[in-house]
Structures are given as structure tokens and as C-alpha cells.
Amino acid sequence: MFNKLKYFHKHIKLGKNVKFENDKHIIMGTNLFVGDFSVLSGFGGGNLELGKNVRIHSFCKVATCGGNMFIGDNVQIGDHCTITAQGDVTIESDVLMADKINIIANQHSFHDITKPIMDQGCTSKKILIKKGAWIGINATILSGVTIGQNSVVGANAVVTKDVPDFSVVVGVPAHVVNKYDFQSGNWIS
Ligand SMILES: CC(C)(COP(=O)(O)OP(=O)(O)OC[C@H]1O[C@@H](n2cnc3c(N)ncnc32)[C@H](O)[C@@H]1OP(=O)(O)O)[C@@H](O)C(=O)NCCC(=O)NCCS
């Protein structure tokens, strides 16, 4: 059970019915905001470390699930987001995430046709979202992916491969539609 008194000196602001599970694995920075009905979970191993001025809005699930998760300073996470970190998740500072985003750092193995998929274990790979990126509404980011610095993931995209720095990706699967060209100083589509 989360002990409000233990953290009050860090200026942590909580909405209604916020749940902290296994909070000895949750390291909170100052000025944390967590909105109504969100769950932060350290179950299954791994640590969840939050930087300064992190805002996690309502109805989110942010869970280590056996991996380590680091969320950097000034990160904003919209409503109804799910982040699970079986293969580790790092979200660097100043990342802006819209609502309904899924960041899922594992896959179920399925190749053995004699067993139900739920009995075949998982493969987990790290997700890295570099500083200053913006993830659009309803996007999904799958395991093993890096999102580049100041890059944009369009609304509804499913990101299956790395996104270079300073680029815009859209679609399913996500592909680059716009990229900053340092030679000309322009965004090139
Ligand atoms: C990706 C986005 C930022 C636009 O980026 P942009 O570089 O200005 O891209 P453009 O508008 O020039 O579009 C480039 C191409 O991608 C397509 N496109 C743009 N956004 C798309 C999307 N989300 N999904 C699929 N295709 C998209 C455009 O139709 C265009 O295609 P075309 O060249 O065949 O005409 C914007 O469309 C978007 O998805 N924003 C997210 C909004 C959001 O989530 N807001 C929440 C606030 S936190």
C-alpha cells in the first residue's frame, strides 16, 4: 500500500484511486503527478524510476513486469496509456505522449504448435524513446524499437522498426514521411 506521508516532501500530487503496487521498486522524482485511476506497478521484478516533473495522466498502467523502466525529467504521458517493461523501457527527458499509447516491450513466443501460446514464454527487447520526441494519439510501439531524438510518431501508427532522429513516421507499419535535412536546414518529405 502506497504511503502518502512517505512521499509528501517530494511534492507528489495524486488523483483519485491511484494505485502503487510493490512500491519499494518505484523510485519517484519530485513534482510527480499521477491522474485518477492510474496504476504504477513494480510487480514481477525490475525498478520503475521516475525523474523530476513527470506527469502521468488518468487511467494509465505503467508496469515493470520484470524489466527496468526509466522515465526522464519533464515527460508527459496522456490518459489511457499502457507501458510495460519486460524487456526494459527508457523514455528520455522532455518526451510528450498523447492519449491511448501502448509501449509494450515483449512478445509471446508462438512457434511450438503443440502448446498453447500462453505456455511458450516471451521474448523481450528494450524500447528506447529518445529525448524531445512526440508520440501521437493511439500509437503502439513494439519491443526492440528506438524512437529518435525529437522525432514524431503519427496518430494510430504501429512502430515495428527504429525511427531515426528528427523524423516523422506514420502508418501501420510506421514509415518515414518527413525528415530533417541538416545540410539544407529543411524538413524533407
Ligand atoms: C504525423 C503528423 C504530426 C503530421 O506530420 P507531417 O510531417 O506534418 O505530415 P503531413 O501532414 O505532411 O503528412 C505527410 C503524409 O503522411 C500522411 N499522414 C499524416 N499523418 C498521418 C497519420 N497519423 N497516419 C497516416 N498517415 C498520415 C499524410 O496524409 C501525408 O500523406 P501524402 O503525402 O500521401 O499526402 C500528424 O498527422 C499526426 O499524426 N499528429 C498526431 C496528433 C496527435 O496525436 N495529437 C495529440 C496531441 S499530444
Side-chain angles (χ1 to χ4, degrees):
M1 183 58 196
F2 178 64
N3 178 350
K4 279 189 183 180
L5 283 175
K6 196 166 135 191
Y7 294 108
F8 94 110
H9 65 284
K10 289 192 169 182
H11 305 284
I12 289 166
K13 195 168 167 217
L14 303 176
K16 282 181 291 184
N17 294 83
V18 171
K19 209 164 138 192
F20 289 84
E21 296 174 341
N22 207 12
D23 76 336
K24 62 180 182 294
H25 289 275
I26 302 176
I27 303 148
M28 299 181 209
T30 49
N31 292 326
L32 172 67
F33 167 76
V34 185
D36 299 346
F37 294 96
S38 282
V39 179
L40 273 59
S41 173
F43 272 143
N47 289 320
L48 168 58
E49 187 176 346
L50 303 155
K52 289 179 287 193
N53 308 321
V54 170
R55 293 183 72 79
I56 297 170
H57 287 266
S58 301
F59 300 100
C60 290
K61 174 184 169 185
V62 177
T64 56
C65 300
N68 290 307
M69 189 179 329
F70 174 76
I71 299 181
D73 296 345
N74 312 316
V75 169
Q76 292 200 36
I77 298 173
D79 294 334
H80 294 278
C81 291
T82 299
I83 309 174
T84 58
Q86 291 92 336
D88 296 349
V89 168
T90 295
I91 301 175
E92 292 183 349
S93 57
D94 305 303
V95 166
L96 175 59
M97 290 172 49
D99 296 343
K100 296 191 281 181
I101 288 164
N102 302 304
I103 297 176
I104 309 292
N106 90 315
Q107 311 265 12
H108 287 274
S109 302
F110 58 87
H111 290 100
D112 184 345
I113 58 162
T114 68
K115 288 184 189 164
I117 290 168
M118 69 165 79
D119 295 336
Q120 295 188 39
C122 291
T123 52
S124 305
K125 288 188 199 157
K126 179 176 174 143
I127 293 175
L128 168 63
I129 303 180
K130 289 163 87 176
K131 61 183 177 180
W134 171 35
I135 317 296
I137 193 164
N138 211 37
T140 293
I141 298 172
L142 296 177
S143 61
V145 161
T146 292
I147 307 293
Q149 181 181 344
N150 271 55
S151 286
V152 180
V153 174
N156 294 318
V158 176
V159 188
T160 57
K161 296 199 175 95
D162 290 352
V163 174
D165 293 344
F166 308 105
S167 12
V168 179
V169 296
V170 300
V172 180
H175 57 282
V176 176
V177 289
N178 210 342
K179 191 168 182 354
Y180 188 74
D181 177 46
F182 280 88
Q183 242 171 354
S184 66
N186 293 315
W187 287 83
I188 311 276
S189 47

